[in-house]
Amino acid sequence: MVTKTDETQLNRLENQVDNGGGGAWEYLCLVKKLKVRRPEKVLKHGLSILNDPKKRSSLGPDEWTLYEQVSIAAMDCQCLDVAKDCIKVLQKKFPESKRVGRLEAILLEAKGLWAEAEKAYSGLLEDNPLDQVLHKRRVSIAKAQGDYSGAIDLLNKYLEIFMADHDAWRELAEIYISLQMYKQAAFCYEELILSQPTVPLHHLAYADVLYTLGGLENLQTAKKYYASTIDLTGGKNTRALFGLCLCTSAIAQLTKGRNKEDKEGPELQSLAAAALEKDYKQRAPGKLPLLASALRSLKIS
Amino acid sequence: MGELRYEISQDAYIKLVLHAQKHKAAAVNGVLIGRVSPRNDDVVEVTDSVPLFHSHLGLLPNLEISLILIEEHYSAQGLFIVGYFHANERYDDAELNGVAKNIGDHICRYFPQAAVLLLDSKKLEALPKKIDQRPVMQLYIRDASKNWKLVGSDSGSRLVTKEPAANTLLLDYITTEKWQGIVDFNDHLDDLSKDWLNPELFK
């Protein structure tokens, strides 16, 4: 999960390096820090440093981490020869290393040799039962083979031990969503909200899942979480604003003909609609008429 | 009534594949825009497409908003949402999953002749080695019991690109990384100034 400021900075740096303005090492470090996936760029710019002996030696001990980073990017781009070469260099420098052993196992994955990779990870896990990366690679193997129930199983077992791993909770939620197991996805987001209550994206995702589940109670809760997202993001989150309008509309549909006490006031929806109109006016004025008629179709008489 | 055929314009076709190229590690989807051909009731002309999402495809709120906005825009031109495009996350996954079927069903409620197109990664990969004029997509149509059925591996003439050289152009765009410029609904919701109509893409 990357903030907008981080992403802007990353893209700016990427542009700079792409156009020959230097800063490759800075870029590579930022990619690593933010844990984003940009394999083609990492491969290109990483290799430009590694293939230049002067640049390479100026890295000092960081040279080895760069080999690791580039080998993983190479595997992501299916440039397996490059990956093998990088791993060979690391093997020479660190002959008994478990970290290099891990890379070798990932290479097996990249080649699609699932059984061998699984064996390698199990072996490594015997000596390092608490290595989180190893556990998670096993989930990737299951996922890559389309064994979603296996991946879910492994992730759940993993989370029993490492329950503070937010990335794992999010991955599990996404797998559940892709399988349309919305109740289970909701549970994951509840865990995330409990442990990171001020991260708006969890509130937003939870609201989205509840809306998808449907039913009056879920819609009412979803509305609350869209509202909390808007609160946490200072009203800047377009999806939450839209979500709020959708919820109000759906709730009104469901409570048609009920007592006045059950009905909700229109203030929240009007505020959200006004905020959306303001945003569109500023950033996408050409789409304003579209927005206006969409919002009209969501208002209930 | 004869068998339904779908004719997809080059721009609509390429846009969808480029979107999938931009997000290689994810499942992506999009909608097909068009109408029944005024000259032939059995032909659905797909004149445009809108890339939708590259994450959380199975969630309703963003889908609903996107469909409302897209419909509003195109109905002014006498065009409708006539189908759905889906590309699976994994290369060797050639199944149409629940999310795709549900969205397809929803679109059928408003346009009964709607089709679902699934990206065929293997066909796409084979293109550079041997150019083929057939679209790199599988065609799914609903049968009488409302189940989505794959239309013969040689859907042959039931799904065609309007311009025969569409794949050649597609390959060219892939080589020149034209997919960098594609904007989908996800991108628009993150930054309203990004236009999901992609007006500058093919200029």
Side-chain angles (χ1 to χ4, degrees), chain B:
Chain B
M1 191 177 99
E3 279 187 335
L4 273 179
R5 291 192 297 118
Y6 298 84
E7 192 185 74
I8 183 168
S9 79
Q10 181 168 276
D11 284 359
Y13 170 69
I14 292 179
K15 223 190 279 190
L16 295 167
V17 183
L18 287 181
H19 182 221
Q21 288 291 101
K22 186 171 181 188
H23 304 281
K24 287 196 187 105
V28 302
N29 61 5
V31 285
L32 313 175
I33 306 292
R35 56 182 185 170
V36 174
S37 166
R39 290 156 296 144
N40 184 344
D41 262 355
D42 291 336
V43 174
V44 173
E45 295 174 346
V46 179
T47 52
D48 201 354
S49 60
V50 180
L52 288 178
F53 308 109
H54 54 268
S55 69
H56 297 151
L57 272 59
L59 291 178
L60 271 179
N62 294 329
L63 178 67
E64 287 187 11
I65 281 294
S66 65
L67 292 180
I68 293 176
L69 289 170
I70 292 172
E71 246 158 7
E72 284 286 344
H73 174 83
Y74 283 102
S75 59
Q77 301 169 26
L79 297 172
F80 311 96
I81 298 180
V82 299
Y84 172 74
F85 169 77
H86 191 98
N88 282 326
E89 188 180 359
R90 287 181 306 114
Y91 166 79
D92 46 11
D93 184 358
E95 296 273 320
L96 196 65
N97 68 12
V99 172
K101 289 184 189 160
N102 286 153
I103 299 179
D105 285 338
H106 177 84
I107 294 177
C108 273
R109 279 178 27 212
Y110 300 93
F111 189 80
Q113 304 101 312
V116 168
L117 300 181
L118 184 68
L119 181 71
D120 189 327
S121 303
K122 300 213 163 111
K123 269 202 200 139
L124 177 60
E125 200 193 16
L127 264 188
K129 301 173 202 134
K130 181 173 177 224
I131 196 76
D132 190 332
Q133 287 190 348
R134 288 168 301 178
V136 295
M137 297 172 180
Q138 294 184 331
L139 172 67
Y140 285 81
I141 299 188
R142 269 197 346 184
D143 64 16
S145 357
K146 304 219 171 142
N147 292 319
W148 288 98
K149 283 280 179 319
L150 175 60
V151 175
S153 59
D154 217 12
S155 35
S157 53
R158 290 190 68 183
L159 171 67
V160 293
T161 51
K162 182 159 172 236
E163 297 85 340
N167 276 332
T168 314
L169 190 54
L170 172 66
L171 279 181
D172 187 47
Y173 283 157
I174 292 179
T175 327
T176 55
E177 298 194 354
K178 200 145 173 90
W179 36 261
Q180 303 258 15
I182 287 250
V183 170
D184 65 13
F185 236 89
N186 263 148
D187 302 326
H188 174 73
L189 291 173
D190 286 338
D191 179 352
L192 290 178
S193 63
K194 296 204 170 141
D195 192 348
W196 43 267
L197 284 168
N198 289 289
E200 304 296 312
L201 188 64
F202 296 120
K203 296 253 158 71

Side-chain angles (χ1 to χ4, degrees), chain A residues 33-229:
Chain A
K33 178 171 156 222
L34 297 176
K35 292 202 212 168
V36 289
R37 197 170 174 179
R38 308 237 171 150
E40 291 101 356
K41 303 285 178 184
V42 170
L43 186 58
K44 183 168 163 203
H45 301 307
L47 279 180
S48 74
I49 297 181
L50 290 175
N51 286 331
D52 179 331
K54 243 211 266 176
K55 285 193 190 154
R56 212 172 58 220
S57 52
S58 71
L59 291 177
D62 286 332
E63 178 184 347
W64 313 112
T65 11
L66 184 57
Y67 271 111
E68 188 186 32
Q69 189 180 13
V70 168
S71 70
I72 295 185
M75 289 189 258
D76 216 355
C77 296
Q78 277 288 303
C79 297
L80 300 183
D81 291 327
V82 174
K84 229 185 334 180
D85 289 339
C86 292
I87 295 178
K88 265 210 195 99
V89 171
L90 288 169
Q91 275 166 337
K92 215 166 151 206
K93 176 78 183 168
F94 306 102
E96 294 295 317
S97 162
K98 301 267 168 20
R99 197 161 152 179
V100 178
R102 207 164 62 189
L103 278 178
E104 289 164 0
I106 301 181
L107 183 59
L108 289 170
E109 259 190 271
K111 291 183 179 163
L113 300 169
W114 311 118
E116 286 87 332
E118 174 65 48
K119 203 160 144 224
Y121 287 127
S122 305
L124 287 164
L125 272 168
E126 266 172 28
D127 299 326
N128 310 275
L130 293 178
D131 185 324
Q132 295 180 283
V133 173
L134 289 174
H135 282 286
K136 290 196 270 195
R137 289 314 318 164
R138 293 180 71 208
V139 177
S140 315
I141 294 182
K143 220 182 151 192
Q145 294 175 84
D147 178 14
Y148 293 110
S149 48
I152 288 174
D153 229 9
L154 284 166
L155 260 177
N156 272 313
K157 288 205 180 85
Y158 170 83
L159 284 165
E160 275 168 32
I161 313 173
F162 302 102
M163 55 194 81
D165 187 336
H166 303 125
D167 287 335
W169 280 113
R170 283 199 357 257
E171 176 69 30
L172 184 57
E174 280 173 21
I175 298 179
Y176 279 137
I177 291 173
S178 70
L179 297 173
Q180 301 186 287
M181 295 166 72
Y182 300 116
K183 278 211 181 78
Q184 291 87 334
F187 176 74
C188 295
Y189 288 121
E190 281 162 10
E191 289 291 322
L192 282 165
I193 294 175
L194 270 173
S195 59
Q196 293 184 306
T198 56
V199 172
L201 288 179
H202 300 327
H203 293 241
L204 181 64
Y206 186 50
D208 280 342
V209 171
L210 288 176
Y211 181 90
T212 310
L213 271 169
L216 186 57
E217 219 180 290
N218 285 330
L219 287 170
Q220 287 166 331
T221 317
K223 191 169 168 183
K224 292 202 181 93
Y225 280 92
Y226 281 126
S228 61
T229 309

